[in-house]
Amino acid sequence: MSAITTDWIDTLQEEYHKPYYKELFTKVTAEYNSGQPVYPPGNEIYSAFNLTPLSKVKCVILGQDPYHEPNQAHGLSFSVKPGVKVPPSLVNIYKELESDLGCYIPNNGYLVKWAEQGVLLLNTVLTVRAHQANSHRGFGWEKFTDAAIKSLNEQDRPIVFMLWGKPAQSKMALLNNPNHLILTAPHPSPLSAYRGFFGCKHFSQCNEFLKAHGETPIDWQIENV
């Protein structure tokens, strides 16, 4: 497993010493050593934390677990690398961005630009077995990412949380800091996007909130490659 190399380590290192994490480490290591594909690649498990330091987080977009088909997952929720077909949920995110902010729909799903501006693209479970969605649910990742969410909740500066779908919205119990903005909507998947994700205007609301609190807004436009 890869290591966290940013200021997140100051907050999360105590998790490493807890019994659940030791069990999690053993299980995930065994999965990667099993000979069967596990995603993302081991050196990208903590990409969300390494691309978006805790001190730089302005917005959090919670996903459930990584994409489970080859070459898709690289440690950021909803993101895929250039050259990989844009998944349906991200297609719908782009459609909402086009409607909300006038962004053109790009030819790729590589969201590193968002991460580098302070958008934490965090899955609640950080690994998955190939072709088996949610296969690492219950391994212990949820406790680890809950610790990260609790740390974000404790930050004094304004942070926007975009909680799409019931699994993400279940984390609202961890968020009680009045400095933050909590936005909820149905998940952007094709099964639920038409129930209120389209038209939610979360991206413009996020930027308006950041500007109102003296923060630089996010440039949400992903460019073509």
Side-chain angles (χ1 to χ4, degrees):
M1 288 167 61
S2 61
I4 295 176
T5 58
T6 61
D7 60 0
W8 276 106
I9 195 64
D10 298 330
T11 294
L12 295 175
Q13 62 182 349
E14 62 187 63
E15 300 300 308
Y16 297 159
H17 304 294
K18 296 180 179 179
Y20 88 84
Y21 190 89
K22 294 175 182 178
E23 185 177 338
L24 165 66
F25 184 88
T26 300
K27 287 180 178 178
V28 172
T29 300
E31 289 277 309
Y32 276 93
N33 291 337
S34 69
Q36 301 299 314
V38 176
Y39 305 124
N43 64 346
E44 294 181 323
I45 293 172
Y46 292 124
S47 290
F49 297 111
N50 289 334
L51 284 168
T52 313
L54 174 59
S55 59
K56 302 295 185 184
V57 175
K58 296 179 177 180
C59 175
V60 181
I61 299 179
L62 281 181
Q64 192 163 330
D65 69 333
Y67 296 124
H68 54 268
E69 296 303 324
N71 303 315
Q72 290 184 313
H74 66 105
L76 303 180
S77 62
F78 295 102
S79 180
V80 293
K81 288 188 173 179
V84 177
K85 183 180 179 181
V86 179
S89 291
L90 184 52
V91 169
N92 287 338
I93 291 170
Y94 284 161
K95 288 179 179 177
E96 175 58 21
L97 268 169
E98 181 182 44
S99 170
D100 187 13
L101 291 174
C103 296
Y104 68 81
I105 295 178
N107 62 2
N108 69 94
Y110 194 49
L111 305 182
V112 166
K113 176 181 175 179
W114 293 357
E116 291 176 339
Q117 294 179 83
V119 181
L120 182 68
L121 297 165
L122 180 65
N123 284 312
T124 56
V125 173
L126 301 186
T127 56
V128 69
R129 199 176 300 139
H131 318 301
Q132 298 180 44
N134 289 323
S135 50
H136 287 186
R137 182 174 56 188
F139 274 26
W141 282 126
E142 295 91 341
K143 292 181 181 179
F144 187 77
T145 54
D146 277 1
I149 294 167
K150 290 175 184 175
S151 180
L152 288 161
N153 180 63
E154 293 167 0
Q155 303 300 304
D156 288 333
R157 68 185 187 282
I159 297 174
V160 180
F161 292 84
M162 297 184 186
L163 306 180
W164 300 334
K166 289 181 180 178
Q169 289 164 21
S170 72
K171 305 301 181 182
M172 286 181 67
L174 306 176
L175 302 172
N176 59 10
N177 187 330
N179 290 324
H180 304 323
L181 175 65
I182 315 298
L183 300 173
T184 63
H187 195 276
S189 85
L191 297 174
S192 55
Y194 289 94
R195 297 180 196 151
F197 177 78
F198 290 137
C200 70
K201 298 189 180 298
H202 280 189
F203 303 101
S204 59
Q205 288 186 67
C206 172
N207 279 355
E208 287 163 8
F209 179 79
L210 292 174
K211 286 189 287 186
H213 290 84
E215 298 284 346
T216 304
I218 307 296
D219 176 5
W220 293 103
Q221 179 67 67
I222 299 296
E223 286 82 15
N224 286 333
V225 295

